[in-house]
Each structure stands twice: as structure tokens, then as C-alpha cells.
Amino acid sequence: MCGVFGAYSRSDFIAEEIYLGLSALQHRGQESAGVAWIDGDGRVNSIKGMGLVHEALSQSTLSEAPVKSAIGHVRYAANGSAMLQNAQPICANYARGPVAIAHNGSLTNFDEIRTTLENRGAIFQSTGDTEAILQLLAHQPKLKPFDALQNALAEARGAYSLVVLMEEGLVAARDPWGFRPLVLGRRGDNYYVASESCAFGLIGASFIREIEPGEVVLINEAGPSSYRLPIKSDRHWLCSFEYVYFARPDSVIGGRSVYKARQEMGRKLASKDIPEADFVAGLPDSGTTAALGYSEASGMPYESAVVRSRFVGRTFVKPTQKVRELGVRIKLNPCGELFRNKEVVLVDDSLVRGTTAGLVVSMIRECDACALHLRISSPPVRYPCFYGIDTPSNRDLVAAKQTTEDVARSIGADSLRYLSQEEMIGAIGLPSDSLCTACFDGRYPDCR
Amino acid sequence: MCGVFGAYSRSDFIAEEIYLGLSALQHRGQESAGVAWIDGDGRVNSIKGMGLVHEALSQSTLSEAPVKSAIGHVRYAANGSAMLQNAQPICANYARGPVAIAHNGSLTNFDEIRTTLENRGAIFQSTGDTEAILQLLAHQPKLKPFDALQNALAEARGAYSLVVLMEEGLVAARDPWGFRPLVLGRRGDNYYVASESCAFGLIGASFIREIEPGEVVLINEAGPSSYRLPIKSDRHWLCSFEYVYFARPDSVIGGRSVYKARQEMGRKLASKDIPEADFVAGLPDSGTTAALGYSEASGMPYESAVVRSRFVGRTFVKPTQKVRELGVRIKLNPCGELFRNKEVVLVDDSLVRGTTAGLVVSMIRECDACALHLRISSPPVRYPCFYGIDTPSNRDLVAAKQTTEDVARSIGADSLRYLSQEEMIGAIGLPSDSLCTACFDGRYPDCR
Amino acid sequence: MCGVFGAYSRSDFIAEEIYLGLSALQHRGQESAGVAWIDGDGRVNSIKGMGLVHEALSQSTLSEAPVKSAIGHVRYAANGSAMLQNAQPICANYARGPVAIAHNGSLTNFDEIRTTLENRGAIFQSTGDTEAILQLLAHQPKLKPFDALQNALAEARGAYSLVVLMEEGLVAARDPWGFRPLVLGRRGDNYYVASESCAFGLIGASFIREIEPGEVVLINEAGPSSYRLPIKSDRHWLCSFEYVYFARPDSVIGGRSVYKARQEMGRKLASKDIPEADFVAGLPDSGTTAALGYSEASGMPYESAVVRSRFVGRTFVKPTQKVRELGVRIKLNPCGELFRNKEVVLVDDSLVRGTTAGLVVSMIRECDACALHLRISSPPVRYPCFYGIDTPSNRDLVAAKQTTEDVARSIGADSLRYLSQEEMIGAIGLPSDSLCTACFDGRYPDCR
Amino acid sequence: MCGVFGAYSRSDFIAEEIYLGLSALQHRGQESAGVAWIDGDGRVNSIKGMGLVHEALSQSTLSEAPVKSAIGHVRYAANGSAMLQNAQPICANYARGPVAIAHNGSLTNFDEIRTTLENRGAIFQSTGDTEAILQLLAHQPKLKPFDALQNALAEARGAYSLVVLMEEGLVAARDPWGFRPLVLGRRGDNYYVASESCAFGLIGASFIREIEPGEVVLINEAGPSSYRLPIKSDRHWLCSFEYVYFARPDSVIGGRSVYKARQEMGRKLASKDIPEADFVAGLPDSGTTAALGYSEASGMPYESAVVRSRFVGRTFVKPTQKVRELGVRIKLNPCGELFRNKEVVLVDDSLVRGTTAGLVVSMIRECDACALHLRISSPPVRYPCFYGIDTPSNRDLVAAKQTTEDVARSIGADSLRYLSQEEMIGAIGLPSDSLCTACFDGRYPDCR
């Protein structure tokens, strides 16, 4: 998964705002980060690095950059391709000028595009599909960059939410199927594009509207103007997993508050099979909201009984041999006092590999809890995603081949219940034919 | 405030466990961190650095260090003295061998000791009071180090929870008044000393007992043995602010769960003057537990409506001019959707400067909340601490000179209520004559 | 100017030898350095950085790289283009596999090639002409890489001494005009290619022969095999300035020892107009050898009276304002004692901008020398170089517009004499129609 | 060996000049470097680091430091004690204020002083003897710092050339025996103290005079004033090895030009036993000057036939296994062409371990030289130095136990001749009873 952010100003230097926007989107990608802009000589420049935004980029350098228009990207690398070479934005100074592209999504016809272009002499610098869009654009040197971009996108299939920088302005584009979110914001005369609305709060900008599926927005001195891609989709495929896990709770996607969607998932999870228990707790951060909804609907008291240690995450403690030997409780720590001799309902947002849930369950068992009922506020993930989320292969999806009872046993829970797909869709509150649920039910969209 | 951690093993290399222990105590001090050990040549060595544990120390270096006994320290610098020179542990190879000291607390007779020793020729390398203990020890070159340490402590007054490393072993010492916590843990044959029990969970050790006020514990090949300082205090002065704010909720101090104490503070806060409101929210992280208690006692629904952004703290975003201009919401972000047209009770753990509360209140106002009632789960802080907490001077304590109404107005809350001192003590659950409440009521202990 | 180095082994890991070879060629380029190799997955990898070899590259990383074949480059950036983006080797994984190219020289038809290819959709990543060779190669995706390279070079005009890495092996290629040196060496079964033979000594390899103008050598498991480019030149244009200044004295170029050529230049400089003087001194490092020849031929004693401080060069002292104010004698320092009341002949290798000579003359004047005669062991540089040396524009060439007397006056010397072009060519000892002397006489070769 | 540098100004910020001065003294110590000054709060501050000046210190930080008076130190660590802890200047804020000390030399009664002070409670932070002077000073808290310093020095025995910074001013002090050089310089109203006069040239200052043995100079607003230590020595013991090897040739020590002394050593070396040979060459840098003198006196031509590669020293190439395997010619490279079939005299300044000479001789042999006569422009080093030069133990001194013939054989030279002690003293030109020659003849001074 990735996050994109762009800013356009007529008067302010905004490079540092890209840093801030990317920090607010850090949850969408933690492997690399980058910023790109066009310099006074009309050439595209970029700074990219591995790791979190503050590791990859220098805030102080950006705070001094005389840049009025820029884009940025945070990346979660799939398939071991965590290389700086693949960090985005992808940049080039081609025949018609400078271009930089930041992309969230996954093109399903990438291999096809690459082979065609390489046979015409193209050199690909990266292994990522973002460069395919750039190369498609460059292979139309007779067109202006913005026109060439639209032609290029007409050949792309699959999921893409893009911010693009060219001399004509800042461009935001979203694929016709609407897989990934992309939103437009504003502060005074400055315009912003971001993967999620939570990035606007940090820089004091306000949310204007979502970029629509199939829409291309060009922002220049005249403000934003809207264009349409020539490809139509008869329905939309907004990723339901954004609501379940990926997005930040203070974001609004598809007109629905992520916080409220998660809370409602928790409420619906408490609609039946409520075990006898002393209290309900959530796995922070993403399970907390659903646990609160569960508590409200069930009347069972809520305790924030599992502490997320702010200083024991991946940024702070490396997984050395000692750390593995000691079974160091990276990030999550139960308040032992609360669990002793208690029956507990534990809520998590989703069950993918089952590793974290298993680890937490065993930690709580050591605190002498009597019973532990695991509740998952989404259906079991059973199929891989081809639209930008790096789900593991089937083999590693704990629910792909096992019954619910087997999964409960392997995790060590006394009982396990998922939310049904209908309940999840109901909690999100959007029509079922506008959401992609392929990772839950295997029904993949047909992008043509 | 500071955190101390020590480890003693007969067979394992434990330097990396100091790193882990300090990470778990990071909330007690974020300005500098250090580790000290005695090398194969009988000389004390140390690594110290500015910033968080992972910035100051190299985990990989420590993971390879062949060290069976070591101590560590995290420091919160008071009064602008954030210099590497003052980073602890303080180390020396003196006439009788190597010594390293890590200290949490504050000696009230430091100036007196320093002047006396300087007049005898002593050179102080730092401006901190920890070195006074070292110098007192070194000025008794005829005694063995452990005996000299006990003599030295007999001259010290005020708050100290110490871990000391010398050739005779690992020493833990706590002042006779018992201001700061200090606990003993164990994993197999390894012994651990820490400021808080939460540090044990991370390394798979278990809590044995607290070090008692006036107790000195020497840990060597024979295990721990206990000694008594010659100074007696007729009562104890355990810091009540540890329960209110400082300690981690999953720690147990003075036999009382910090989580439960905070939850009870929230419950008692809801015992009267409960406003009409739609929901109660807490300021994460430390206000969350009290808010849950408030919700339980008042029957008012709880929402985790203020999000703490994991990637927008001090570690990640520096307070540049742009950040200040934009009023960047460092760390805390309200879920706008939840507050619109609602009446809300907001719970925070304490009111010191009032800056954060004021900022959050204004952010929530921008979300169109109708009414905002601030509840503080401790009495107003009105007096400085001389025992290790770096409270600001009176002038900056928002409650020192103003009425509750004036404070509410300056913060922008529709109403404000504190927990009374009696309620707080009741919630902690220890006798009032065993707790220090000087920062609330100005009654300072007399350490003689 | 630049330096290139390549190594091919069937059994040894040679990445660190590239580091060593580049260190020996450091005098040919100090702005950036890079190494490239093909990894086990058949993909080209590179490490590049700004500054000297030891700043740009990590010797320890390279010492551990399991790489049997690699190329490297040191670069002196012309025209302010000191950007990492332009650092070499230039690398790509194109349709037919991995390629890396390191280049010393300058293509005279670069703009033409670039425009043609960009109009076919090519994206240039750098502003340098090395990439033109890569793109020419990639635009022939039906040919094998080595064949495509030969076709590409058939379209290139101007100066190039290349090392290229591809799956078929290590390639060395030199333009048909023979502007820049390129030599082949060997140690056991390992083969090496370098800009100068001095790079072989450092790694214990021995010189085999020079790569000939218009020759392409492919080194693979079978050893080296030689190919011919289809372009013929009726004469050669070996750069005379390599002998004057650029090459290291312990190198042999065109069969002539650079040391001996310089010494002979000094001797010929003493063939007439020898002033009355107490001793002769040279400007280290490059003026020393000629000064010794001058001493020998004139019978005037030689003193190493100007000291080159090893620790006060660009690597060690940055040109801050203070450094400029103090007129800090970067690198060169006269032994004051030797100059007092003496008449001196000062020999330098060439006169380009005249800045260093002027500075040293004024430093010696301050030592109370009576008379100071400047002798230059080459003709005055009056024309820019278009074949790889970054001479300044005419405007900055001190001898371009002024008489010898005016130049002497502006530098502060009592007299000035140059070596004539005939004397220089005679000292080098090669036929005059095999040397390029364009920077001295403006007669530029016609590369067609 | 070490180098010291101090600067005092009434108006200029001179911290960067310390950086420059230390760079000019870099040849005196390359293990660590440091700078100390007194800040606006009357506290001593320092920056120290391992490695060369430009690695240990930040020139840009110093260029911005508002510091009018400062001292600096470069250190060559003896006996494996290359630790940052021992880097100088040694600093303290003691009872009477701030003090910083930089020291070149070695106290012969260090152990005695240390034991005495430790028994009085002193804590030594370092293992070096410089701290002994500081502790002696601090143990006189009733005296003003400058008086206390003079008392302290009255107890010190052995070699010391010191610069000291205290609130009373900048102090330069030299031991009564005059082992190590120390000189005073000036630029306008600024005063400078340095180990060697070559440091003045770089910053545009001029040499005033040497600090005399037993003299203490205090520089403050009133300029320099001179004091005398109460200890008298009946003769002086200026280190003869400074002339032979240690000092820079452009320095003047004891009124004698180091360059001229070395040239004269070369001349005297040619006074007898001159072999038949084609030319004479020197080992750069320190053997060059003597080789020129040898050439002059013998009439044998001089060739700079061994090249010192500027970029292949310790700073640039680390001695990895590969480097050792290849026998990489760190720093020195013979011009092969010159040696083929020639008989050569090779001059080096001294013979200590014999390693470098042996390596160079074997490199020249590989160039097919017919005969190789080694000449050393000083007597054989047979005894360790206790006054600041880190000569190896007897065991490693190649000449300590072997005849000249054996040494020649082990090095691989066809013949070997040393300069006699009388010749060396004659070349230096100072009375023999003012020079220390202990490393040559074992006659150690008696410092009481």
C-alpha cells in the first residue's frame, strides 16, 4: 500500500508541507519516502530515501527549499522489492520537459505495457509499474505532457490514484474503477491532493471533495479544472479494507467516517453470540474503535487493557536474535492486573496471518485470564489483493484453508467469530456494488 | 524525570537487554540515554547520546557486547541543561576501581556537598547531582567501593532511586523517604532493577518486589542481599504524580496498579457535577484511562475521539517555523465527524501549563462542538517539585494564581472541574501519610 | 576529465579492487565516484556518491561484495553539473539485460543523438553524453548487447575511452581518434582495464598493452578478444596535455614514460634564456619533475622549496569566508628561509588561469626573494578543449589575449618563458601528427 | 607525539583558526583532535573526535562559534590508548572556574602524582598524564588558577609544551629542560601559540619567538607577559628527532631551519663511502630533503623517482585483508621506468622498525634495479623515548640488536650507511649539550 500527497501554491514555499502531509499518511507505507519538484531551470528534482519519512527525508532541507509545487510518496514495498531504486516519485526530464509521478495502486496490465515499450527501445529504471505510466507518456513526444498523460492513462488498467507534477501544473488522477481513495483540499489559494483527508488536518487545510473515479484534475494558476478519462466502468470498486484496517480513523472516505464505520462494525459484531465475559478490550490501534462499538452494543464494559508502547515499535527496536529469543512484546503489552481470573472478549479489526492475534492471546493467557473470546470486525481474508494491498499468498492467510474452529485453536482462543460480509458492508454504509470485497470473497473486478 | 535500569547475569550477555529496558522506560526521559559496563580490563565504559534510546544508542553494537552486568539511564533534562556532558550513567575509574551510577531523583543538599568537595580539590565534570554521589564515594579511598557508597548515601538528602555498577556487583538503592519507585525483577538466574515494573514484561522477566525506602540491595554471584541505610524517615513520601501522569499504566507501584488508580480517579471525577453531554473522550495517552472510568461511573458513552498520530510526534516532526505557523497539530487530532453539534466531556490527567489542553480544546471547537467540559483527574498543580519532576516555575503553572473559572476561560472550556486531593489519594488507595503531594498542596517533606 | 577502471575475474571477488584502482586514478576526477556490477539475479547494481572515492564509496561494503566483474568511474564535473544524477557508471536493465558504462571523453555529436532518440520516446535520466551510448544500444533490442554496443559506437563521434559491463563480459573500447589513454593489465587469470597504467601497480597487476584507437576488447571466460570499429581515422590525436599535467608521472602512455617526458620538457625549457639565479624550484606536485630536468640541464641547484601540505587540501579545509580572508595558503607553502635575498627560477607545468602561479609568486615575494623567474614547461593554453578536459572559456585563459610580458606582470614574475610547441612535442617523443595540441594551437580534429 | 595550538584575540572569532592551525600541525598527531574554549557563561566547552582534524571536528561549526580565545590539540596515541576519552584538550570547571589544557610531551613522574592525588579522593577521567596537571591545579582551590598552574608545574617532571586556557587568559608553558618546541606568533592584536612555526603561515600570522625552557607566558588583554618556573635545568635537551623526522621542513626550531638541517644531514651523509650509482632518490616526504643534499654534495643526479600517491594514504584506503593480500603499495610507488638496470642510492631520514624501507626496497627490486644502496640521514634508533615520541619497544627497533650488515641484509639493500651522531649534531648546528639524543645513544636526561 502507498500514500500520495501533492501541493500547489502560487506564492508559498510548500516543500515542508509535503513532509508533513506524508507524515500524516505514514501509516500507508513505511518502507521508503520521497518528494519531487521542478526547479528554477525547469528540471525535475527529487529526494528519496529508505525508511520512515523522518529517516528518508530531511525536514530542514525541505523547509528551506524555494518550491511552490511538489508531490510526495510513502511506499510499502511488496515482494521484497524494498529498494531505493523503486522509491517514488518516479521522475524524468523527457523531450517535452520535466515529469514526476507518485502512485498508489497496481496496474494489472503492467507486464504487457513494459514488454511493448522495451521492444521499442525503452529503458526501465525501476521494477515498478509507476514507470510504465511515465514511459507511455514519453512515447508520445508530439503531445503536450498533460495530453500525453491522459492518453497514457487510457492504456492503463487496474488501480491507480496518482499525483503528477509537470510544467502545466499539478495533476490528480483516479482510475475509472475507483479502487483507492484520493481527495482534494485547500488552504487559502493553495490546493492539496492526498490519499486520505487526515493529511489535511495537520497542515490546516480543509477537505473540498473526493477526486471521482475516472477523473483527472489539473491544478494551475487558474485553480483546479476537471477532465474525464475515456474509459467507463459500469460500477465502482472502492476497497472495503480501507475501512476495516488501512485508513486512519479520522479520515472520511466515500463520504463515510472511517471511525464511525469501524464503530458500527463493532456494534454489529455484538449482534449475536455474545459470550459471558467481564470486559471487552481491543487490539490497538486499529481494533480499538470496533471494541468500543462492541462494548456499546453489548453493554459489556470496555477496558483499554492492551497498551501499545509508543517506543517499542519497529522504528525503535530492531528484531535481533535477542529480541526474538526473549519473545519481546513488540508494541503490545497487556495490563496484567486487569486480566487475572477474568473472562475477556478481545476485538481485532481483521485476521490475515493471525500472528499478532496469536501472540497477544498467549501474552494474555500468561496473565491468568480464564477465558478469551476473539472477535474479528471483518470477514476472514481468504484471497490475495491485486489492486495495491500487499496481502500474503494464500498459503499464509490463516483463514484461507481452515475452519473457524481450527483457526481459534491455532491462535489459542476459546472462541472466534468474524463479522459477516453483509454486516461489514452494512457498517460501511455504501451499496455493495460500489465496494471491492475480493480479498474476502474472491470476486475480482474485470478492468477493461 | 528519569528512568534507570540495571541487569546482572552470571552467564548471559545482557547489554542489549539494557537497550530494551530503557526503551520500555522511554516515557520517563527523552533527552538523552546511556549504558555503562565494566570491561575485561576492569575499566568502566559507557555509550551515551542525545535523544531517544534508539537515537542515542546503537542496538546492534550493544547486541554484540560481551557484557554480563550493566546499567542504563534515560534522562529528561531540567533547566536547559540538555547536554551530553550531563547524560548518565556517570562513570569513573577511581582509586578503588570502576564505578558507574544512574540516578532518578534530586538531591536537596547537592550544592552543599559540591562546595565542600570542591574545596578539597574535587573536579566536577557535570552540573548534575549524580556526580556528587560519585565524588562522595571517591573521597573515601580507604574503603571498599560498596562500603564507600553506603557512607556516601548517608550524607545525601532528598530523592534518589539509584542503580550502581562496581566490581563488587550491581547495586540498587532507594532513599529513606521513598520518593521514586524502584523495583527488582528476575528471569532465571538473571536479576534486573528498574524504575518501573513495565520494563520487565518486555524482556520476559518477572517482578519480584519493590526496593524499600532506605534499602540498598547488592546483587552478585550469590544473588541479591539487602542492607539498610543508617537514616530513618518516620513516614514515606511516594510521589503521587507517578500515578496521575508519569508511570506507564501497565506498571504496579506501591502495590497498586497504575491503570486501576487512574480508572478510579476517573470514576471519582464523575461523582458530582456531571454535565449533560453526548459522550466523554480522553486526551491520549494518559487521559484515556481516567476517561474510561468517568464513562463507567457516569454512564456517559466513551469515544476514542481524539487520535494520537503515531508518526507526528517530536521524533518525527521538528517544530520549524512552518510547523508553528500552520499550528501543526503535533500528535493529537480530533475525529471531526464525532464532535459536530455534540456536547462533550474531555478528560485529561493533569493541568500543568495548560498548553496542550488549550490547543486541543480549540481544535475541537473548530469541529463545531456545541459544548466542551474539561475534567482533570487530579488536583491543580500549584507548586514546583524539588524531588525529580521538572515542573515549571510557579509563573508557568496555569493554576498557581488563577481561579478555576479563569483557567477554564483561558483554555476555552465551558466548564472545568478538578479531582480533589482527597479523591485522588482515595483513588490511589494508599494512606495519605505515605504519599508526597507537595506539587498540589505545597507541603514539602523535611529530609534530615 | 575522468578516470575509468574495470576488472574481470573467473574466481576472485574484485569489487574492492575497483575501489583501489579508482583511488590510484583519483587525480583524474574528484567530484564523484561510482562502481557497478551485475548481481546474481542478472540485474545491474551500482553505488555512487559525491566527492573523493573514500567519501563516495564504502571500502568495507565493497570488500564484502561477492562480485567477480565490475567497473568504476571517477568524475571531474564540467560546467557546474556536479550532480549525483550524472555520476557514473551509467546503468540500466534494458530489454536484453543489464548494462553499465563508464566513460572518459566527450562526444561531439551528443546533442544530435539525444534529440533523435527523444523524438522516438527515449527518457534521458542524466544530462551527460555517456547515456547517449546506452540509449543507442537500447534502441536496438533485436541485437545482442555486445553487437548493439558496436553499432552504437559506430554512430558516436569525438573522444571516448569506455569500460562497459554486460552479461557477455567486460568490454573496453577506445574511439578511432585515440584521444584518451586506455590500457589493459593482468594479474594471474584476472584482467583489468584502466585509464592509466599507474592503477595496475597498486593492485599488483602488470601492464599488458594499450587498447588501440578504434579497438573494442571483449573479456570473458575465454580471456580478451579484439574487435575493430568500422570507422577509420587517418591519423591519431592523443592528448598532449596528459603528458604535461593530467597523467601521473609513474604512468606510461603511448609507450612514453610521463615522468621522462616531463623531465625532458624541463631540460628543453633550460635550453635558452637561463636567468642568473641561486636555485630552481618546482610547484608540487606536477611542476617538480620538469624543475628537476631544468636543474639538470642548466646546472642550477634544485631545492624542494615549496612544500605541499598533505593535510591542507580541499579534502581537509573548506574555503570558508575566514579561509578566504586570511588568504589561507591552501596546499602550497614556501620554506621562507630558503628564499630570503635569493634569485629563483620557479617551474610550473602549465599556465591555464594563472591563479595558483600568481598566489605562489606573491607568497614567495613575502619571503623577501630578490628575483623570481617563472618558467612553464608547456606552451600557453589559449583554446578550449572539446575532448574531455574541462578547460575554462577563453575569457579565463590568462594567456588567450595577453602578451607574455603582460602575463608576467599580472602574475608578479620578473620574467616568464614558455616551452614552445615544437619543444613540447620533441620532449614527448611521439610524431607531431599523432598528438592533439588543440588547446595550444586551436587546430581541432575533424571526427567524421 | 602531539601538536598544540592556541589563539587569543580581543575582537575576532578565532575558533576556525584553531581548526586551521591544527591542520597545519596534523603531521604531529593523527589519532584524535580537539578544541576547547570558555563560553559566555564562564564554562569550558570542547569538541573532540577520533581521526584527522577534518574527521574529528566540524569546520563549519567552528566557523560560526563566537569564541575569541581557544586552544586545540592533535594527538598520536601511544600504547593502544586511542580512545576518545584520552583526546585533548582536557577540560574542567573546577572550584575556581574553567580550565582547558593541551599538552605535548610526557611526564616522567605521572604515576607518583596520580597515586598521591587519588589517595586524596581525586577521580581521574582519563589515563593520560595531562590530567595530572589539571588535578594538581584543582587541588589548590585557594589559589587563583594561574598561580595554581605554576605551583602544579613546579611538581611536574619530564617533557611538556602546554597551552592552557583559563579566565585569566591563554597560557603557554614549556618545561625547564626544553624537550619539545613551542613558539609564539602574532597577527595584528591576535596572539598565537603553536608547536611549530609552520602553523603560523597558514593563518597569515608571523613568528615572534620561541617560548623558552622553563618559561610560562600569560596572554591577556594587556598582551603577553612572561614568568619563570622555579625549577632550573643546567642544560637543555631539545629533541634531535624533531629535526630528523618529526617537524615539517618549513618550520624553524631552536633558530635552525628544519629544511636546512635535513639538507645538511644529506650533504654530510655523502662525505664518505659514496657508491657508484646512476642517481639518488629519497623516500617522500621526509627523506626528500636529505636526498637533495646528498645529490648536491656527491654530484650524483637526483630523481624524484618514488612517488607519494596523495590519495592512497591511511585517510583514503583502509588496510583490509585484500589490501594486505595484494601487498598494496600504500602511499609510495616507484616510477618503474627510472629504475630499470640502474644502480641507485636511496635516502631515508631514519631507520626505526625498518618496515617501510624494506617494502620500498623490494618494490624497487621488482623494477629490475641492479643495485640499491640505502643511506639513512640519522644514526640508528636503538633506545625508546620517554619524552613524548612513541618509539616502539627495543624488540621492534631493527637496529637495536643487529649489526649494520645484518640490517642491510634483512631489508634487502646492497649496502647501508647511517649518519654518525656527530655528523647529525653538526648538521643541526646546535651545541651537543643542548640536544637530547637519548633514542640514539641511550643517555637519558635527569629531570629533578
Side-chain angles (χ1 to χ4, degrees), chain A residues 12-14 16-17 19-20 23-24 26-27 30 52 54 59 63 187 198 201-204 248-250 252 257 259-260 263 267 285 288-289 292 296 302-305 307-312 315-320 322-323 326-330 333-335 337-338, chain B residues 12-14 16-17 19-20 23-24 26-27 30 52 54 59 63 187 198 201-204 248-250 252 257 259-260 263 267 285 288-289 292 296 302-305 307-312 315-320 322-323 326-330 333-335 337-338:
Chain A
D12 298 349
F13 293 151
I14 48 67
E16 193 179 2
E17 297 184 38
Y19 183 97
L20 295 169
S23 296
Q26 184 79 77
H27 60 287
Q30 307 178 17
L52 298 179
H54 80 290
Q59 186 185 353
S63 75
R187 193 186 68 239
C198 67
L202 193 72
I203 54 163
R248 246 174 62 173
D250 49 336
V252 171
S257 153
Y259 182 96
K260 287 188 176 168
Q263 193 176 36
R267 284 193 201 104
D285 291 343
T288 301
T289 318
L292 283 168
E296 182 196 326
Y302 168 83
E303 299 277 3
S304 62
V307 174
R308 183 182 188 110
S309 173
R310 264 187 293 140
F311 301 106
V312 195
T315 319
F316 304 103
V317 175
K318 303 294 168 205
T320 60
K322 170 76 84 172
V323 164
L326 296 179
V328 167
R329 286 82 161 96
I330 297 288
N333 212 40
C335 285
E337 298 289 304
L338 298 178
Chain B
D12 299 347
F13 294 150
I14 49 68
E16 192 180 2
E17 298 185 37
Y19 182 96
L20 296 170
S23 296
Q26 184 78 78
H27 61 288
Q30 306 178 18
L52 299 178
H54 80 291
Q59 187 186 351
S63 76
R187 192 186 68 238
C198 68
L202 192 71
I203 54 163
R248 243 173 63 171
D250 50 335
V252 171
S257 154
Y259 183 95
K260 287 187 176 168
Q263 192 175 37
R267 285 192 201 104
D285 291 343
T288 301
T289 318
L292 284 168
E296 181 195 329
Y302 168 84
E303 300 276 2
S304 63
V307 175
R308 183 183 189 110
S309 173
R310 262 187 294 139
F311 300 106
V312 195
T315 319
F316 304 102
V317 175
K318 303 295 168 205
T320 60
K322 169 77 83 174
V323 164
L326 296 179
V328 168
R329 288 82 162 95
I330 297 290
N333 212 41
C335 286
E337 297 290 303
L338 298 178

Side-chain angles (χ1 to χ4, degrees), chain A residues 248-250 259 285 288-289 292, chain B residues 279-288 291 302-310 329-339 344-348 356-357 359-365 367 369 372 374:
Chain A
R248 246 174 62 173
D250 49 336
Y259 182 96
D285 291 343
T288 301
T289 318
L292 283 168
Chain B
F279 63 87
V280 55
L283 256 65
D285 291 343
S286 42
T288 301
Y302 168 84
E303 300 276 2
S304 63
V306 179
V307 175
R308 183 183 189 110
S309 173
R310 262 187 294 139
R329 288 82 162 95
I330 297 290
K331 288 190 277 187
L332 298 179
N333 212 41
C335 286
E337 297 290 303
L338 298 178
F339 287 100
V344 185
V345 170
L346 192 67
V347 177
D348 201 2
T356 302
L359 199 62
V360 172
V361 164
S362 81
M363 283 159 70
I364 293 175
R365 289 270 179 230
C367 302
L372 221 152
L374 185 61

Side-chain angles (χ1 to χ4, degrees), chain C residues 205-275:
Chain C
S206 47
F207 171 82
I208 301 180
R209 64 173 180 89
E210 309 200 23
I211 306 293
E212 289 171 29
E215 186 183 8
V216 181
V217 174
L218 171 65
I219 304 167
N220 56 24
E221 292 238 327
S225 43
S226 178
Y227 300 77
R228 280 276 142 197
L229 290 175
I231 298 174
K232 298 270 179 274
S233 169
D234 51 355
R235 53 159 289 193
H236 292 159
W237 297 86
L238 178 56
C239 170
S240 53
F241 212 68
E242 293 271 355
Y243 294 98
V244 167
Y245 166 78
F246 221 85
R248 246 174 62 173
D250 50 335
S251 285
V252 171
I253 295 180
R256 285 285 290 160
S257 153
V258 172
Y259 182 95
K260 286 186 176 169
R262 281 185 196 163
Q263 193 176 35
E264 186 63 23
M265 289 172 198
R267 283 192 202 106
K268 286 186 191 294
L269 191 58
S271 63
K272 54 186 171 190
D273 293 332
I274 305 181

Side-chain angles (χ1 to χ4, degrees), chain A residues 372-418:
Chain A
L372 221 152
H373 304 281
L374 185 61
R375 293 297 177 265
I376 303 296
S377 61
S378 63
V381 172
R382 291 207 176 97
Y383 302 90
C385 173
F386 302 121
Y387 308 99
I389 292 184
D390 309 288
T391 37
S393 65
N394 272 35
R395 201 176 46 197
D396 293 332
L397 293 170
V398 71
K401 303 268 159 87
Q402 294 186 86
T403 65
T404 301
E405 287 69 35
D406 289 346
V407 174
R409 204 172 304 121
S410 74
I411 284 174
D414 293 296
S415 76
L416 167 64
R417 182 170 122 63
Y418 302 101

